[in-house]
Amino acid sequence: MDERRTDLQLDTLDGWKRTHTCAQLRATDVDQEVCLMGWVQYRRDHGGIIFIDLRDRTGLTQIKFSPEEHPEIHEKAGHLRTEFVLAVKGTVLARPDDMINPNMATGEIEVLVSAFKLLNTSKTPPFLIEDRVDVSENLRLKYRYLDLRRPRLAKNLVLRHKTAQSVRRYLDDLGFIETETPILTRSTPEGARDFLVPSRVNQGSFYALPQSPQLFKQLLMVGGLERYYQIVKCFRDEDLRADRQPEFTQIDIEMSFVEEEDVMTMAEGMMQTVFRDTLGIEIPTTFERMTYDQAMETYGVDKPDLRFGLPLKDVTSIVRGSGFRLFAKAELVKALKVEGGSVLSRKEIDDYTDFVRIYGAQGLAWIKIKEDTWQSPIAKFLSDEERAGLTKTLGLKPGDIVFFQAGAPDMVNAALGNLRLKLGERFDLIDKDAYRFVWITDFPMLEWNADEKRWTAMHHPFTCPQEGHLEYLKTDPGKARAKAYDMVLNGNEIGGGSIRIHSTELQQEVLAALGIGEQEAEDKFGFLLHAMEYGAPPHGGIAFGLDRLIMLLGDVDSIRDVIAFPKTQKATCLLTDAPNAVDRNQLRELGLRLRETSKSE
C-alpha cells in the first residue's frame, strides 16, 4: 500500500458552500453554477481532458478538467487520485448524446470545473470502494470506515434510518411515548448468558447489560405510562451466526389494557407503514394466523417460510408395522415429497443426509418413484399395503422423490423442516419477490431442557398462560399454552411478544413451575413482584429485531451488512481490536484478579 501524499498543499473550505449532492443534478440544471463536494471514485485521462467521477453518500457526478478552458486548474488536477477529497465549482453541461450514461442518475450531465479545493489526500485503499468488490469480509470489517463508503452499505444504513423514522412516526401517532430504560441493570439469568459489568464502587458486585428491557417496560405499565416504545440496544452473550450479534437493536413496545388481538393489530399496521415508507410496497392489512402446533405439524419449524409448499406429512400410522425396523418402532415418522425430485443425484442425497445430521438425525431415508418401480435401499422392506397408503397420502407419481425421518418428534421436525428449506432453494420454488407474513400463536408455556433436566420458559417467565391452562403447569406442563405470538416473515422470526402476567400470585405460580422457589423468586424478581401488588394493569407487548428486519427489507444475506460497526462471528471487532486486555491497575480498582491458566488448561 502506498503512502499518503503529504507534498500536496491542502485547502480549507474557506466559505465554500455545497449547492448540490453528487446524485442531484439533471439535464434541467444545465448552465447552472454549482459547488459539489466528495471523494474521487474514478479518474480517467482522455486526450488531455481529465474526467473524474465524484462520489458522496448519494451517488456520482462526472466532472471534467479542460486544459483549454482552465489550464492551471487542469494542471493541478493531474495530481488527483482515488479517494482524494475535493470541493469543486463549475458549470453544468449537457453530455454529448453518445456519452450519456443511462445507468447513472446524473448520466445526462457533467460539470466543467472552474475551481477546486483539495481537502485531503488518501492512501490507496486496501480494496476498491465499489459494490462489485470481491474481498474477504474480515478485511472489510478491519477497514469498516472504507467499507461504509460503498454504495450498498450506505444504502443499507439509509434504509435503517428510514425504517426507524417510520416506526417512530407510526407509534407517535398512536400515542406511544418513547422512554429510555437502564443499560446497567441486575442479572436475571433466565435465557441467554448475560454480559456482566463489575462495579468499582460496590466491589464484588456486578451489573448486567440487558438482554431486553422486559422487566422495566412492565414496570412502566405499572407506573401508568400505558403506551411505551423504545428503539434500544440489547445484549446477549451467545454463539453467533449470520443473523445474530452480541449487541443488537430492538423495536420494543408495551401497551396497557390490551389483549392479543390489540397488540397484533397494532404490529400489523406498523409493518404496513414501514413497507410503504421504505419500499413503496403495500402488504396485506391482516396477516395469516397459524398455531404453533399447526406450524410444527406441517412445516417442522415454528417460523415457516410460506413462499413455497413442500408440507411435511405424518405417516406414522401407515408404517407402524413396517418391515423397516426404524419405521416400525419410531415415535414419529414424517415424509417430505418433492415433485420431480427424482432428478437428484446420489451425491446430492448424500449431502442432504449429512445436512440433517446437524439436527440429530442418524440418517435420511428416501425413495425415488419410477414408472415401474420404487428405487430406494428401503423399498424392499415396504409391503404393498404400505406402498398404497404412502401413495394415497402423499399423492405420489413417477418422477417424485420422498424423504423420510423417523424418531423423536423434536429431531424429526427439525431435520425435515430445515431440509424443506434446502430443497425449496434447490428446486427454485421460493418466490424471491414475495413477502409472506404469518402470526404463530398458542405457543407452549414451557419446554423441556434435557441438559438441565427441568422445564424452562419457551419465551420468558412473565408470559401469561391461556385461560384454563394454569392447572397444566402442575399436572402436565407440556400441555400448557401461552398468550404468546411471533410475527414471521419469509421464514424469519422478526418479532415476538405476549400478554404478560400482571398478578403477583399468578407470577409466583409460574415461577414455581419453573423450579424457582419463593426465596429465589424474591432474590431475582422481587422488585417486579412487589410492583404488581400496587395495581398493575393488564398489559402486553412485542419486540422486533430491527437488524433482522432491515436485512429482509434490504434483501441482504448477512446481518453484519446492515449494522454500521458489527462484530465478527467470534464476537470480535476487527476495527478496534475489541475485546482487549486491560492493565492490572484497572482490574485492581474493580477488585478483580485474573485466574492463572495452567498448561493443561
Side-chain angles (χ1 to χ4, degrees):
M1 189 184 303
D2 67 348
E3 293 299 318
R4 186 170 69 88
R5 292 285 298 271
T6 57
D7 58 323
L8 298 177
Q9 180 67 44
L10 298 184
D11 299 310
T12 63
L13 285 177
D14 193 25
W16 281 32
K17 303 293 184 184
R18 179 159 60 175
T19 61
H20 298 79
T21 68
C22 289
Q24 198 171 354
L25 296 173
R26 299 293 186 270
T28 54
D29 298 305
V30 168
D31 294 332
Q32 274 200 50
E33 296 297 316
V34 298
C35 179
L36 306 178
M37 298 181 186
W39 289 262
V40 174
Q41 177 76 17
Y42 304 114
R43 178 184 182 275
R44 306 176 297 278
D45 289 356
H46 287 182
I49 296 178
I50 297 174
F51 290 96
I52 282 178
D53 288 342
L54 193 67
R55 183 196 74 243
D56 65 12
R57 187 188 76 197
T58 65
L60 298 170
T61 295
Q62 178 174 286
I63 62 176
K64 73 176 185 179
F65 299 84
S66 170
E68 297 177 355
E69 300 280 348
H70 304 286
E72 292 183 4
I73 299 299
H74 175 270
E75 182 180 359
K76 184 180 175 184
H79 298 291
L80 299 180
R81 295 293 182 268
T82 301
E83 298 307 311
F84 280 22
V85 188
L86 306 181
V88 303
K89 288 183 177 180
T91 306
V92 180
L93 305 178
R95 290 199 198 186
D97 291 343
D98 61 345
M99 294 184 66
I100 290 176
N101 185 348
N103 300 317
M104 193 172 172
T106 59
E108 294 182 309
I109 61 92
E110 60 189 6
V111 174
L112 175 62
V113 178
S114 57
F116 80 92
K117 289 178 177 288
L118 176 61
L119 303 176
N120 212 339
T121 61
S122 172
K123 290 183 178 181
T124 300
F127 52 84
L128 294 177
I129 310 299
E130 59 180 34
D131 286 339
R132 296 169 295 178
V133 62
D134 183 15
V135 65
S136 73
E137 184 179 51
N138 280 356
L139 185 61
R140 292 196 292 113
L141 292 178
K142 179 178 175 65
Y143 294 94
R144 187 61 165 184
Y145 44 84
L146 297 179
D147 200 27
L148 290 172
R149 294 182 188 175
R150 293 169 55 222
R152 187 180 182 191
L153 265 290
K155 179 182 176 183
N156 291 343
L157 294 186
V158 171
L159 176 62
R160 188 183 181 103
H161 161 75
K162 288 181 178 179
T163 301
Q165 294 300 103
S166 177
V167 167
R168 285 190 165 98
R169 285 192 298 268
Y170 174 79
L171 294 175
D172 185 64
D173 288 344
L174 292 181
F176 284 82
I177 299 174
E178 185 171 12
T179 308
E180 295 177 342
T181 52
I183 293 296
L184 294 176
T185 182
R186 63 169 292 136
S187 177
T188 53
E190 279 295 319
R193 288 182 292 272
D194 287 328
F195 280 103
L196 299 178
V197 181
S199 170
R200 179 185 60 82
V201 177
N202 300 286
Q203 291 195 359
S205 297
F206 294 81
Y207 299 105
L209 303 181
Q211 296 184 30
S212 84
Q214 181 62 44
L215 298 183
F216 285 105
K217 67 180 181 179
Q218 289 191 240
L219 292 172
L220 288 172
M221 297 304 101
V222 178
L225 205 67
E226 294 196 18
R227 292 196 162 201
Y228 140 95
Y229 83 95
Q230 184 181 188
I231 298 179
V232 59
K233 280 282 190 183
C234 301
F235 307 85
R236 290 178 188 169
D237 187 7
E238 57 187 351
D239 296 332
L240 308 182
R241 55 177 187 253
D243 60 347
R244 185 175 286 172
Q245 286 277 295
E247 54 177 313
F248 57 97
T249 305
Q250 278 188 186
I251 305 169
D252 202 53
I253 302 170
E254 198 77 5
M255 309 163 67
S256 290
F257 308 112
V258 292
E259 296 180 317
E260 293 108 306
E261 285 297 326
D262 301 308
V263 180
M264 294 162 78
T265 298
M266 177 278 302
E268 289 171 351
M270 189 176 81
M271 284 298 108
Q272 291 151 22
T273 300
V274 165
F275 271 74
R276 185 183 305 119
D277 290 350
T278 60
L279 301 183
I281 292 175
E282 294 294 334
I283 59 174
T285 54
T286 57
F287 300 166
E288 186 174 342
R289 309 291 174 93
M290 184 181 299
T291 68
Y292 172 87
D293 290 339
Q294 289 171 333
M296 297 302 293
E297 179 182 353
T298 307
Y299 300 104
V301 294
D302 60 5
K303 48 182 181 181
D305 190 337
L306 302 186
R307 291 176 295 172
F308 67 106
L310 300 187
L312 312 185
K313 295 284 187 179
D314 185 341
V315 296
T316 310
S317 61
I318 298 174
V319 298
R320 174 60 69 201
S322 175
F324 187 46
R325 186 177 302 176
L326 180 61
F327 284 2
K329 295 185 176 181
E331 182 180 354
L332 177 66
V333 183
K334 278 191 171 182
L336 171 59
K337 180 195 76 171
V338 184
E339 293 184 7
S342 62
V343 298
L344 289 173
S345 68
R346 187 55 189 266
K347 181 184 184 306
E348 287 180 296
I349 295 174
D350 289 344
D351 288 343
Y352 291 139
T353 302
D354 290 338
F355 172 74
V356 298
R357 287 195 173 101
I358 297 172
Y359 304 97
Q362 298 301 306
L364 181 65
W366 55 273
I367 300 173
K368 287 186 177 182
I369 311 300
K370 303 292 187 178
E371 286 288 348
D372 54 358
T373 186
W374 284 18
Q375 179 185 333
S376 168
I378 71 169
K380 61 185 177 182
F381 297 107
L382 300 175
S383 67
D384 290 342
E385 182 181 357
E386 289 162 353
R387 291 186 183 215
L390 290 173
T391 299
K392 181 179 179 181
T393 299
L394 301 175
L396 299 179
K397 60 183 182 297
D400 295 345
I401 190 170
V402 188
F403 293 99
F404 298 90
Q405 197 57 246
D410 286 351
M411 181 278 294
V412 169
N413 284 324
L416 282 188
N418 286 282
L419 177 61
R420 171 182 174 266
L421 297 174
K422 284 277 190 182
L423 293 167
E425 291 279 358
R426 164 63 177 82
F427 288 95
D428 197 24
L429 301 176
I430 303 174
D431 183 354
K432 300 293 187 179
D433 295 324
Y435 293 98
R436 287 292 303 274
F437 288 87
V438 60
W439 284 108
I440 306 300
T441 63
D442 302 325
F443 279 86
M445 277 284 292
L446 311 178
E447 57 186 343
W448 181 252
N449 186 316
D451 294 332
E452 298 181 13
K453 301 292 189 297
R454 70 182 184 97
W455 291 98
T456 58
M458 178 166 274
H459 279 75
H460 54 64
F462 317 107
T463 300
C464 190
Q466 294 184 359
E467 277 73 21
H469 284 236
L470 178 60
E471 193 60 31
Y472 288 139
L473 294 178
K474 302 173 184 176
T475 61
D476 191 355
K479 289 182 67 174
R481 289 295 182 264
K483 294 183 178 181
Y485 35 82
D486 281 0
M487 184 186 288
V488 174
L489 171 59
N490 293 354
N492 295 270
E493 178 211 329
I494 60 171
S498 66
I499 299 301
R500 324 301 188 187
I501 296 168
H502 67 283
S503 156
T504 303
E505 293 73 25
L506 178 55
Q507 184 66 77
Q508 288 173 326
E509 290 191 59
V510 170
L511 292 175
L514 294 169
I516 300 175
E518 287 188 21
Q519 187 56 52
E520 185 180 1
E522 177 66 27
D523 292 342
K524 289 183 175 179
F525 310 111
F527 60 96
L528 176 66
L529 296 172
H530 296 314
M532 288 180 179
E533 296 174 334
Y534 291 92
H539 60 281
I542 191 167
F544 291 92
L546 179 63
D547 310 304
R548 191 174 300 174
L549 177 59
I550 303 303
M551 187 174 76
L552 295 171
L553 288 170
D555 192 25
V556 178
D557 293 330
S558 170
I559 204 168
R560 292 184 289 277
D561 282 343
V562 301
I563 299 171
F565 299 102
K567 305 291 189 294
T568 68
Q569 286 187 310
K570 294 183 178 180
T572 61
C573 175
L574 298 179
L575 174 64
T576 63
D577 196 27
N580 63 308
V582 298
D583 64 44
R584 293 189 176 186
N585 288 335
Q586 287 178 281
L587 293 175
R588 191 177 297 113
E589 284 184 338
L590 295 168
L592 298 177
R593 183 174 62 189
L594 295 179
R595 182 172 62 88
E596 296 293 333
T597 303
S598 67
K599 289 185 178 180
S600 62
E601 290 178 302

